[in-house]
Amino acid sequence: MSALNLPKPAWRTEEHDMLAESARAFLAKEFTPNLDRWSEAGVMDRDAWIKAADAGLLSASIPEEYGGVGGDYSHESVIAHEIAMAGADSWGWAIHGPIVAPYILHYGTEEQKKAWLPKMATGELIAALAMTEPGAGSDVQGIRTRAERSGNGWVLNGSKTFITNGQHANMVVVAAKTDPSAGAKGTSLFVVETETAPGFRRGRKLKKLGLDWADTSELFFDDMKLPAEALLGPEPNQGFYQMMRALPQERLIIAAGAIGMIERALMLTIAYVKERGAFGKKVIDFQNTQFELADMKTEATMAKAFYETCVGLHLQGQCDTVMASMAKYKLTDLQNTIVDRCLQLFGGYGFMDEYPISRMYRDARIQRIYGGTNEIMKILIARSL
């Protein structure tokens, strides 16, 4: 069920529809009954990752030769939409699958792909991406974590914060400076398997405005000795290039979550105003309600059409940084605006935590910040003028 009725984009097939139905059924069975409990606990069950792996949700775009399903970003996009429609916005699925897995697939050596991708597909390894530091968010040049050569390997020192999957992850892709004199271009990525890494420490699970059961955490690396094969790719100082190439897909998957939440907010709000009475008639019968929803549906439909166009371009290798930045910026801004307007139509009940629109209002806010703030997105877009 959807509040938006667009024709299928050219890239969407019956296979995608079947995947959507499968993901929807899985989430309804394994996630929806647990959302309140996870929210109270502040963390999801670790075995939920294994169940998701068994359902094929962790390996949609990992090639079959590495234990995956063998799809592409379009399959990840379908899953992201179903996650948002199910209200599982706190789940760090996007970091594990559509963000970290491509780093390994595109830049790892054959040995690294064989070592890590199959375990990511089964959920044996849960991935995190450690870039942000206390003094460095969107600015990669500000990274202070260092990796220095030691014999054939490396020694890693530094700290990271705001790390999604920080408590559950047992494989962390860490951005570190390997040539400080080269600025951002002296950055490398290292893959740390935490269970075999003396010197690794998990810090606090951070208390946040929203995304209650996301295990967002601090991570610390203290004189951590890493083998040579922990370096992602065959050479050091490739991290900045690797990150820049990966950012369009990261921003698209954020946009996917945005349009999914927008659709869910509209669906829930339309259902509510059709049932809720005020002054002797249903709330839907007031012209203001009709005009508000008509405007929101129009904007949401245009946004979804743009997003699906971006997906098609991305599958052809033609969705560049500017286009992906537009999608991330505009859709997350619209997400926050529409959720706010929908909450208003719920009246006082919209402020109650028991109503999903309340959690959505809190959870949506971070979308304009992570993956590069929306102000950074505007700078990138402006460079194309």
Side-chain angles (χ1 to χ4, degrees):
M1 183 177 179
S2 173
L4 307 179
N5 299 307
L6 281 168
K8 284 185 186 180
W11 53 261
R12 182 154 179 152
T13 66
E14 289 186 11
E15 180 183 82
H16 293 92
D17 294 340
M18 291 172 62
L19 173 61
E21 291 176 10
S22 174
R24 193 178 310 135
F26 169 80
L27 291 163
K29 178 183 178 183
E30 300 293 348
F31 274 56
T32 302
N34 293 304
L35 294 183
D36 288 340
R37 180 172 63 83
W38 291 346
S39 184
E40 288 293 323
V43 66
M44 68 187 291
D45 297 335
R46 175 62 175 82
D47 68 358
W49 284 96
I50 302 299
K51 293 177 180 177
D54 292 341
L57 300 189
L58 301 189
S59 59
S61 57
I62 294 176
E64 293 181 16
E65 63 187 294
Y66 303 116
V69 176
D72 54 33
Y73 176 77
S74 66
H75 299 86
E76 305 282 18
S77 179
V78 167
I79 295 170
H81 185 267
E82 294 303 325
I83 289 171
M85 290 293 284
D89 306 287
S90 291
W91 188 21
W93 163 89
I95 288 289
H96 177 89
I99 295 178
V100 169
Y103 275 108
I104 309 300
L105 180 62
H106 296 150
Y107 307 116
T109 64
E110 188 63 24
E111 292 74 16
Q112 290 173 329
K113 295 175 190 178
K114 289 178 178 177
W116 294 319
L117 289 175
K119 292 179 180 179
M120 291 181 69
T122 62
E124 181 180 344
L125 290 179
I126 300 302
L129 183 62
M131 293 186 182
T132 304
E133 298 183 3
S138 299
D139 181 12
V140 177
Q141 295 190 63
I143 289 176
R144 299 181 66 182
T145 297
R146 297 282 187 268
E148 299 178 344
R149 287 196 180 274
S150 175
N152 292 328
W154 301 84
V155 175
L156 184 67
N157 280 285
S159 64
K160 302 290 182 176
T161 193
F162 307 152
I163 306 305
T164 301
N165 300 336
Q167 296 298 313
H168 281 157
N170 49 5
M171 186 185 86
V172 184
V173 176
V174 183
K177 287 290 180 64
T178 43
D179 183 0
S181 66
K185 294 183 179 180
T187 305
S188 299
L189 298 182
F190 293 87
V191 181
V192 177
E193 292 192 56
T194 63
E195 294 175 5
T196 57
F200 171 77
R201 290 186 293 122
R202 300 183 199 272
R204 297 175 297 154
K205 178 193 172 295
L206 301 170
K207 190 173 183 180
K208 307 178 295 298
L209 170 66
L211 301 180
D212 295 334
W213 48 275
D215 53 328
T216 312
S217 306
E218 301 169 319
L219 302 179
F220 298 94
F221 311 92
D222 303 317
D223 288 327
M224 178 187 293
K225 293 183 179 180
L226 296 174
E229 55 268 24
L231 175 70
L232 184 62
E235 302 177 353
N237 303 323
Q238 298 298 307
F240 182 74
Y241 165 80
Q242 293 165 348
M243 288 186 281
M244 292 304 103
R245 289 290 301 272
L247 282 174
Q249 180 156 308
E250 179 178 348
R251 288 163 183 164
L252 277 185
I253 206 69
I254 293 171
I259 197 64
M261 184 184 282
I262 287 170
E263 287 198 58
R264 183 172 185 243
L266 285 173
M267 183 181 69
L268 293 174
T269 305
I270 291 168
Y272 178 81
V273 297
K274 285 181 177 179
E275 294 295 326
R276 177 72 173 170
F279 302 102
K281 57 183 178 180
K282 300 298 183 185
V283 175
I284 188 68
D285 295 325
F286 289 95
Q287 189 179 68
N288 177 71
T289 304
Q290 295 171 4
F291 281 9
E292 279 286 285
L293 288 169
D295 186 53
M296 287 189 278
K297 182 171 182 176
T298 300
E299 290 193 74
T301 300
M302 291 190 294
K304 186 171 184 178
F306 175 59
Y307 170 73
E308 291 182 340
T309 297
C310 287
V311 173
L313 290 171
H314 184 55
L315 295 174
Q316 299 168 22
Q318 297 178 14
C319 183
D320 60 11
T321 296
V322 172
M323 187 73 72
S325 297
M326 289 178 180
K328 192 272 181 184
Y329 145 59
K330 198 61 181 177
L331 267 67
T332 58
D333 264 16
L334 184 64
Q335 173 188 13
N336 279 262
T337 298
I338 285 183
V339 169
D340 178 68
R341 292 168 73 181
C342 285
L343 188 151
Q344 187 73 17
L345 291 174
F346 273 80
Y349 286 106
F351 205 67
M352 299 296 107
D353 192 59
E354 64 196 85
Y355 279 76
I357 196 70
S358 172
R359 294 187 189 181
M360 294 162 74
Y361 182 84
R362 293 184 290 115
D363 293 345
R365 187 59 184 85
I366 188 61
Q367 289 267 97
R368 292 161 58 192
I369 297 173
Y370 58 25
T373 66
N374 282 5
E375 290 73 22
I376 295 292
M377 299 302 99
K378 291 177 186 179
I379 290 173
L380 295 172
I381 296 164
R383 289 174 181 169
S384 71
L385 300 178

